[in-house]
Amino acid sequence: MYKGIKHPTTMNTNLTTDDFIRGYLSEDVDSFRKTIYPNTEDFKKTLSNIEWDNFG
Amino acid sequence: MKPILDKKYKIYEFEIFSLNTIEKIYGKGRKYGVGKFISKLYKRKICLQSVDENDSHLLNKGYVYLPHSEIVRYLGVNKKDGEYEWKTILKSLSKRGIVSYKREGNNPYDSNKKLYYFRLSDDFDNSKKTYVDVESNTLNKFISKQNSKYVSELSKGKGLDIFLLYELDVCIKSTLSIKDLDDIIDLRVNNKLTEYRDKLEWEWLGKRQRKKIYSKLVDEEVFIERYKRLLKSKYEILQIDLQNLRDGNYFDLSTNYFKRDEYGYRVYNIFSRCIREYRSFIKIDGEETIEVDLKNSMISMLYYFIKLLNDKPNKQSGLVKDVYNKLIQLRDGEINDVWLGLPYLQRWEYIKDYGDKFNNDYYLFLKEESGFENMSRNSFKELLWLILFGRESQLKKSINLNKHKYNDLKHLLLGSGRFLVEDITKIDLYKWNKKNYRRYKNTSLILHTIERLVMETMSTILIEKKYKYISIFDGFIVKKSQSEEIHKLLNSRVSSIDKVFTFTLK
């Protein structure tokens, strides 16, 4: 068994590196992505260039 | 809000097959439809074409895919004399040598039907062309509606995930403008020729690859002329597509730029296929940019994967856990440290500790350590990649390295890690990549997945800090003015995943 592995907690999202690794390696990686940014409306506010209003 | 209905979209008109000619042959009603069809095929072909094509693949022979719904829209949905208009026009275009087509792959909606792939005649590459307005209200309305549909899907959270969406947003305000385009094209051509000549020096390079390079160098003038034209056309099309992005005309983009591949789920954007000589001219929000790259990415991923594999079984998850369990099955329920590559990890602990001595260039270190001092770094790197990612049955025939047999070579390069790499190609990871799955590609699939993991973890940090970036697989293009702080931030975070990872500023 390899003993050297560390899973530090350094992410701002309150998720640990360990959580990230598990999330990204899981079969349902799409769901994991949604847990990082669960609210699409909030996320959309961080985008400045897509002109949502010009379209239906 | 309603779609913009009075907007005129644009298409390429070619001298060798003008809109007037199209009108004379297919009638006024099909003039812009057929014109749009030809223009779209041309743009897509140039956009996806590579000079280092792998001849076996349709895409690389110049064939491009177009969905059935678009074919029907451009070439006509009605039946005339017992045949659909689009079929009649396709046959006619094919007879005239304008377009050839093949059917391949499976239609996701009807497994009995094959998809259409088209190849526009090479004569269009040399033809004079102008970028003209579409003077058809119905076609303009159709394109406008498609754009509305696209944004509406995005708005509902469909289509692109947050990472793709973020990059789309950044790319909308990006430009790529080269004043002395001819000089940059010359530079690229020279770099390519140097690369080919270098490759011919690699003693392990197989006959087939050697032949391919010779075929380009034999008629060097012809190759240079053709390559220059391709690079110029690629530049033109990139300009058109960047404008399309700015105009919100997503439907008219030459290809589906913003996507993930089936292979480790990597992110693609409008600059992913852009040559590096062009990339240095990218501006974000009008500001100059620079690339921050993960150094020695793939080989570091191999180390990190083996480390995850040797972690406590209850700590493992998903793909790594699956690989671990299947390796045990393969060995009839038994597993030991050597089979899991543990000695290979210990070798890397040494590399990590003494990395500074060779500027953390792991390829250089492995090259020296494996006894290939005389080999160039690129030659060694490519050989290592082939051993890791190639198909053993093919490689045994194509690798030629004097006295070294294939298995000896593998042992020299990977040490006891070779047993693990061999075992990995025997297990079934189909559920992790259902499209075109091949077991010999398992290592590549795993390493690309882990690369995405590391890069996306870093992307999350950049998004949180509101730094704009454009990702290029194992690197980020960022504003020069922010590059130092981003470099520092990324390194502090990535080293917390593992010390093996380092970002460098290019």
Side-chain angles (χ1 to χ4, degrees):
Chain A
M1 184 71 61
Y2 184 67
K3 303 286 182 201
I5 207 154
K6 279 180 194 166
H7 297 288
T9 56
T10 50
M11 299 295 157
N12 275 358
T13 47
N14 299 325
L15 291 175
T16 64
T17 314
D18 200 22
D19 294 331
F20 269 84
I21 292 165
R22 283 165 190 273
Y24 279 117
L25 291 175
S26 73
E27 269 175 271
D28 199 1
V29 69
D30 280 339
S31 296
F32 171 68
R33 288 191 176 99
K34 283 174 193 160
T35 65
I36 314 174
Y37 291 100
N39 190 330
T40 319
E41 285 305 313
D42 270 359
F43 178 69
K44 267 164 66 181
K45 284 177 199 157
T46 68
L47 306 175
S48 49
N49 301 322
I50 299 173
E51 293 183 14
W52 306 99
D53 297 340
N54 275 347
F55 300 90
Chain B
M1 278 179 80
K2 285 181 180 172
I4 310 157
L5 293 180
D6 54 352
K7 186 168 168 61
K8 277 184 187 172
Y9 294 94
K10 283 178 175 286
I11 55 170
Y12 270 129
E13 178 179 13
F14 297 88
E15 200 178 68
I16 55 161
F17 200 56
S18 70
L19 287 167
N20 280 340
T21 312
I22 294 173
E23 187 177 347
K24 270 181 208 160
I25 304 170
Y26 303 112
K28 202 177 176 187
R30 290 269 73 87
K31 179 178 176 182
Y32 285 96
V34 176
K36 171 84 186 161
F37 178 74
I38 304 270
S39 175
K40 195 143 199 175
L41 293 189
Y42 171 77
K43 280 167 63 188
R44 194 160 288 182
K45 178 184 166 190
I46 296 294
C47 187
L48 301 179
Q49 210 165 35
S50 155
V51 73
D52 296 313
E53 63 273 3
N54 169 2
D55 300 335
S56 63
H57 200 282
L58 264 190
L59 260 187
N60 298 324
K61 288 180 186 163
Y63 281 87
V64 295
Y65 166 70
L66 212 59
H68 187 257
S69 57
E70 274 190 69
I71 303 167
V72 168
R73 177 62 193 76
Y74 303 144
L75 305 183
V77 68
N78 296 324
K79 260 188 176 174
K80 269 185 187 171
D81 305 324
E83 189 175 52
Y84 286 113
E85 206 180 351
W86 62 270
K87 268 199 171 168
T88 315
I89 293 181
L90 258 189
K91 282 181 191 168
S92 159
L93 288 171
S94 167
K95 223 174 177 180
R96 288 171 186 274
I98 304 279
V99 169
S100 45
Y101 57 94
K102 280 189 178 179
R103 302 196 68 183
E104 214 181 83
N106 280 332
N107 187 328
Y109 305 107
D110 184 349
S111 58
N112 294 320
K113 287 183 180 166
K114 300 265 179 208
L115 302 171
Y116 273 97
Y117 284 83
F118 301 95
R119 188 186 198 287
L120 191 65
S121 156
D122 289 340
D123 295 342
F124 284 81
D125 301 353
N126 308 323
S127 168
K128 269 192 183 166
K129 59 187 186 301
T130 38
Y131 206 47
V132 299
D133 284 343
V134 171
E135 302 290 354
S136 156
N137 281 340
T138 51
L139 188 55
N140 283 326
K141 272 183 199 168
F142 166 76
I143 297 170
S144 191
K145 275 184 186 165
Q146 297 302 314
N147 284 326
S148 299
K149 213 169 125 188
Y150 187 84
V151 179
S152 151
E153 298 251 301
L154 287 189
S155 179
K156 288 176 200 152
K158 289 182 191 165
L160 306 185
D161 60 64
I162 51 151
F163 293 96
L164 289 170
L165 206 54
Y166 191 80
E167 294 209 32
L168 169 69
D169 196 66
V170 175
C171 287
I172 288 173
K173 278 282 170 72
S174 67
T175 54
L176 191 156
S177 173
I178 305 175
K179 255 189 190 170
D180 305 310
L181 182 64
D182 287 339
D183 292 349
I184 298 302
I185 288 179
D186 281 345
L187 174 72
R188 171 64 182 193
V189 172
N190 282 331
N191 286 344
K192 201 66 189 169
L193 289 172
T194 310
E195 181 192 313
Y196 288 151
R197 288 186 191 118
D198 277 356
K199 274 193 176 179
L200 289 175
E201 302 283 314
W202 301 354
E203 56 176 324
W204 56 266
L205 198 74
K207 269 184 194 165
R208 247 178 89 187
Q209 280 210 300
R210 220 167 263 276
K211 219 171 152 185
K212 264 188 188 172
I213 296 177
Y214 277 131
S215 72
K216 282 166 186 148
L217 295 182
V218 156
D219 246 334
E220 204 172 283
E221 292 303 312
V222 176
F223 168 75
I224 291 173
E225 191 54 38
R226 198 172 62 102
Y227 192 32
K228 278 186 176 176
R229 200 166 48 232
L230 179 65
L231 291 172
K232 202 161 196 170
S233 305
K234 276 182 182 287
Y235 179 80
E236 282 168 10
I237 284 171
L238 188 60
Q239 294 306 320
I240 287 172
D241 281 340
L242 283 169
Q243 189 58 48
N244 279 332
L245 270 190
R246 286 190 279 276
D247 294 345
N249 184 11
Y250 304 109
F251 179 73
D252 267 344
L253 292 174
S254 304
T255 185
N256 183 17
Y257 289 112
F258 297 88
K259 60 165 189 178
R260 289 179 181 270
D261 63 12
E262 310 88 32
Y263 221 68
Y265 227 50
R266 293 185 303 169
V267 164
Y268 284 73
N269 58 51
I270 196 163
F271 298 111
S272 300
R273 292 175 188 278
C274 187
I275 55 169
R276 62 175 182 279
E277 287 82 352
Y278 286 176
R279 284 209 303 263
S280 54
F281 293 88
I282 294 173
K283 285 185 178 174
I284 298 176
D285 296 338
E287 287 188 44
E288 284 188 15
T289 58
I290 193 164
E291 283 189 44
V292 193
D293 290 341
L294 197 56
K295 202 169 177 177
N296 303 313
S297 176
M298 273 299 126
I299 195 71
S300 306
M301 296 303 157
L302 176 66
Y303 161 81
Y304 185 55
F305 161 64
I306 299 178
K307 182 170 153 177
L308 290 175
L309 196 64
N310 282 276
D311 198 5
K312 292 175 193 146
N314 64 354
K315 279 268 183 190
Q316 290 168 346
S317 62
L319 177 63
V320 174
K321 195 173 187 171
D322 195 29
V323 173
Y324 180 85
N325 289 336
K326 284 182 175 147
L327 287 174
I328 293 181
Q329 269 174 31
L330 186 76
R331 295 282 186 176
D332 294 327
E334 279 182 49
I335 197 85
N336 66 32
D337 288 348
V338 175
W339 292 336
L340 284 176
L342 190 65
Y344 186 69
L345 273 193
Q346 280 148 2
R347 182 180 178 190
W348 269 83
E349 289 305 325
Y350 175 80
I351 298 177
K352 277 161 62 185
D353 284 343
Y354 296 96
D356 291 348
K357 282 186 184 164
F358 44 96
N359 196 24
N360 284 320
D361 187 336
Y362 304 138
Y363 290 107
L364 221 54
F365 180 84
L366 289 170
K367 181 170 89 81
E368 304 283 315
E369 206 204 37
S370 319
F372 292 103
E373 295 92 345
N374 297 329
M375 207 183 254
S376 75
R377 184 186 180 275
N378 279 347
S379 169
F380 178 81
K381 186 177 164 184
E382 192 117 344
L383 180 63
L384 185 58
W385 280 38
L386 268 182
I387 299 274
L388 280 176
F389 299 155
R391 193 179 208 156
E392 189 165 331
S393 55
Q394 298 268 319
L395 291 178
K396 275 185 172 164
K397 284 183 234 159
S398 65
I399 289 186
N400 163 25
L401 199 60
N402 282 344
K403 53 192 184 293
H404 291 302
K405 283 185 185 151
Y406 174 77
N407 281 339
D408 297 346
L409 195 63
K410 211 167 173 180
H411 196 78
L412 273 175
L413 295 175
L414 297 171
S416 56
R418 63 172 279 210
F419 300 114
L420 174 63
V421 172
E422 278 167 13
D423 279 1
I424 282 173
T425 60
K426 291 175 195 155
I427 61 176
D428 180 12
L429 297 178
Y430 173 74
K431 75 170 179 182
W432 299 95
N433 172 27
K434 292 183 176 147
K435 208 169 176 188
N436 301 323
Y437 177 71
R438 297 280 185 280
R439 285 188 187 199
Y440 79 90
K441 291 184 183 171
N442 279 348
T443 313
S444 167
L445 173 69
I446 294 167
L447 300 191
H448 281 113
T449 305
I450 295 179
E451 183 183 76
R452 185 88 301 268
L453 173 164
V454 173
M455 290 304 285
E456 233 167 73
T457 307
M458 296 300 112
S459 296
T460 309
I461 294 160
L462 294 180
I463 294 173
E464 275 171 0
K465 299 270 179 194
K466 295 192 168 51
Y467 286 122
K468 294 194 174 177
Y469 70 85
I470 296 164
S471 72
I472 305 287
F473 306 120
D474 57 357
F476 297 108
I477 294 170
V478 298
K479 291 178 183 175
K480 236 178 202 169
S481 60
Q482 297 175 332
S483 60
E484 291 292 340
E485 49 197 285
I486 288 177
H487 181 215
K488 223 169 149 184
L489 174 71
L490 290 179
N491 267 338
S492 76
R493 294 303 176 88
V494 83
S495 62
S496 78
I497 296 180
D498 192 283
K499 223 176 89 185
V500 77
F501 299 120
T502 336
F503 278 94
T504 49
L505 272 175
K506 269 195 174 169

